[in-house]
Amino acid sequence: MAQRSIVIGGGAFAGLALAVALRQGLGADIAVIVADPALTGGPSRDPRATAIVAACRRLFDAIGVWDEVAAKAQPILDMVVTDSRLEDAIRPAFLTFAGDVEPGEPFAHMIENRYLIDALAARAQAEGIDLRATAVTSFASRSDGVEVTLADGAIVEASLLVAADGARSNLRECAGIATHGWDYDQSGIVITVGHERDHHGRAEEHFLPAGPFAVLPLTGQRSSLVWTESRAEAARITALGQDEFHRELEQRFGLHLGEIKALDRPRAFPLGYFVARSFVGERLALVGDAAHVIHPIAGQGLNMGLKDVAALAEVIVDAARLGMDLGQADVLDRYQRWRRFDTMAMGLATNSLNLLFSNRSTLLRTVRDIGLGLVDRAPPLKTILIRQAAGLSGEVPRLLKGEAL
């Protein structure tokens, strides 16, 4: 069967990782095109940082990207969970996790987004992937292919179009795929801080009444903060002057790492939950935030998108080896069956955690603290939770095992 191109709309983590995985699995006979106005060829300026769990680190290793960024990644060697009020002088640790899923393999690494995006773009170029600094504006699906129109006027005849264009996906809307979910009336404040003492690779999750305050270690004496507040309070905090903001920050961060200093401006992002009613359409597949957005309370958002990448790449490569049409319905249905249950389960879990911990109820606080203490005293249960968080439970795609397609 004559295969046409695969067009990926969106050139962030999911789009670029999928493009590289497909090129390596399919070879050079099938063109892979990534279309995104952000693909200008210059270095990324994304100031955020991301926790990459062990399974997704294996994916980056399998596609030849991790070695390029490993020196810039900070392994998370252990994690401490506390539950307290803002005014509490002491934050007792109710739950601790050792950081390895396998001997010598941490369950996650922290890395600044710009390094990983630049490494993915460089690998895509080296693999001969067609990177176009333009957007997909429309498409028309037929039984034998999909006609994709780009903003620069180019028209591409493709076997499959992949929507990797984020939470406000234009491609999802053009396909008429609805979403269901809700807003949390919360915002996540993101900022990088420097501190006087070394963090020794320790991540901290402080559950405060407004929501989780996560301290995630970066290379050097720096940490990335993901700080949840109500939207009104987040707007107030991010609008503060430098001295007033420092007081708010210090009250939550504490002084256990010595003096602290904000290294960039705080930015607030509205939080919500939604899942697309279908992850596929006619010759269309959704990946990453185009398919689902979850609360950052468990640090799984980007990793869920990379799991989509691993599953879709495996499905497409397997279909190509069987001589199947890459965009036909039963190929895409296999991808949807593989990813939909895991996505719904993670969304339910993060929503439940947010409801359980983001409140001021003394009764709920007592119940959850007892629960955290029981988990802390059950090493087998902690091992299961670590492997789940690391993306290594259930039916794991080959790339997430570190295996080439």
Side-chain angles (χ1 to χ4, degrees):
M1 178 174 292
Q3 301 285 6
R4 298 183 176 90
S5 304
I6 297 174
V7 178
I8 301 170
F13 289 106
L16 289 172
L18 177 62
V20 174
L22 288 176
R23 169 47 59 90
Q24 293 175 352
L26 297 172
D29 292 338
I30 300 175
V32 178
I33 300 168
V34 181
D36 190 321
L39 295 172
T40 59
S44 171
R45 296 183 178 181
D46 190 336
R48 295 170 295 175
T50 298
I52 302 296
V53 301
C56 295
R57 186 207 62 78
R58 293 179 183 183
L59 179 152
F60 288 128
D61 196 28
I63 64 175
V65 170
W66 189 252
D67 284 347
E68 301 301 317
V69 298
K72 301 179 179 72
Q74 169 62 52
I76 297 179
L77 301 178
D78 67 276
M79 185 169 183
V80 174
V81 177
T82 74
D83 186 7
S84 61
R85 300 181 183 89
L86 190 58
E87 63 273 13
D88 291 349
I90 299 175
R91 293 176 178 171
F94 287 95
L95 182 59
T96 60
F97 287 104
D100 285 358
V101 291
E102 300 289 348
E105 183 181 13
F107 75 84
H109 285 76
M110 284 297 299
I111 185 166
E112 287 151 285
N113 290 7
R114 62 183 184 272
Y115 298 135
L116 198 46
I117 285 288
D118 288 346
L120 282 166
R123 173 56 60 180
Q125 283 189 314
E127 296 282 353
I129 293 165
D130 189 356
L131 302 179
R132 303 195 187 185
T134 187
V136 175
T137 56
S138 64
F139 60 93
S141 299
R142 305 184 305 272
S143 61
D144 64 340
V146 54
E147 184 179 273
V148 181
T149 302
L150 305 181
D152 61 5
I155 296 176
V156 180
E157 291 288 340
S159 292
L160 174 67
L161 173 62
V162 179
D165 53 341
R168 298 179 180 179
S169 172
N170 178 61
L171 300 181
R172 184 188 66 230
E173 290 187 9
C174 288
I177 298 175
T179 63
H180 61 84
W182 49 82
D183 290 327
Y184 286 115
D185 192 28
Q186 292 175 315
S187 289
I189 301 173
V190 179
I191 189 169
T192 302
V193 301
H195 34 77
E196 187 179 6
R197 301 192 188 105
D198 196 339
H199 48 56
H200 299 294
R202 168 170 287 188
E204 302 174 12
E205 184 105 35
H206 302 303
F207 286 113
L208 300 172
F213 182 88
V215 181
L216 304 167
L218 297 174
T219 54
Q221 294 178 192
R222 301 177 304 140
S223 293
S224 175
L225 307 187
V226 182
W227 167 3
T228 304
E229 294 283 352
S230 70
R231 290 191 181 176
E233 182 66 0
R236 181 192 72 82
I237 290 172
T238 53
L240 292 173
Q242 184 175 350
D243 292 340
E244 292 85 355
F245 178 80
H246 183 83
R247 283 193 288 271
E248 295 279 357
L249 175 62
E250 193 175 78
Q251 186 179 19
R252 292 161 177 80
F253 193 99
L255 294 174
H256 59 293
L257 294 179
E259 292 295 329
I260 58 174
K261 179 182 180 181
L263 300 181
D264 53 18
R265 286 292 302 169
R267 286 154 293 113
F269 299 89
L271 303 181
Y273 165 77
F274 81 77
V275 177
R277 293 190 180 275
S278 175
F279 285 12
V280 300
E282 187 177 6
R283 295 194 174 273
L284 175 72
L286 311 183
V287 298
D289 287 355
H292 45 73
V293 170
I294 62 175
H295 197 284
I297 193 168
Q300 292 291 322
L302 173 65
N303 294 288
M304 293 290 288
L306 293 172
K307 292 177 184 179
D308 296 344
V309 166
L312 182 58
E314 184 167 328
V315 165
I316 291 173
V317 170
D318 286 352
R321 288 171 180 162
L322 293 172
M324 300 171 69
D325 182 345
L326 304 184
Q328 69 185 48
D330 53 351
V331 173
L332 299 183
D333 284 345
R334 181 190 169 202
Y335 162 66
Q336 174 160 249
R337 289 194 306 272
W338 199 345
R339 290 299 305 138
R340 191 161 181 81
F341 176 78
D342 179 56
T343 299
M344 297 298 292
M346 183 59 71
L348 177 63
T350 55
N351 184 61
S352 300
L353 286 172
N354 188 50
L355 292 173
L356 179 62
F357 285 97
S358 299
N359 61 74
R360 301 179 184 278
S361 168
T362 301
L363 176 60
L364 277 179
R365 183 186 179 195
T366 301
V367 170
R368 69 199 183 208
D369 290 350
I370 291 172
L372 289 173
L374 291 174
V375 172
D376 197 49
R377 290 164 177 77
L381 179 56
K382 286 206 288 187
T383 299
I384 292 172
L385 291 175
I386 288 172
R387 291 192 66 81
Q388 176 73 35
L392 297 174
S393 60
E395 185 183 359
V396 179
R398 294 196 294 272
L399 285 173
L400 297 183
K401 298 176 184 177
E403 300 171 4
L405 292 178

